[in-house]
Amino acid sequence: MYPSPYLKPSIFTTLKNIGWSNLLDGTQKTLGVINQAIPIVYQVKPVVSNMRSIFKIANAINTPDTPNTNNKQITQSTNKPVFYI
């Protein structure tokens, strides 16, 4: 026989059917994993943020040097200081 759709179980019978010990054990294990993962996240975060800078530096090192096209021939005829602008 099929259950009648008009009969709804009360909240109290639903609460009785919950395995509280299993629920609490699962919650305790989950919180244990979270407590172990939080320090790892705080340790890895600076490494990940520094990786961007490391890639930028590596990219700058690997780019070929381009000759400066604005080389000006400066002749020093006196002992005055020369200012490069």
Side-chain angles (χ1 to χ4, degrees), residues 59-72:
N59 191 16
I61 291 172
N62 291 332
T63 56
D65 292 335
T66 56
N68 192 357
T69 58
N70 295 334
N71 288 339
K72 295 180 181 178

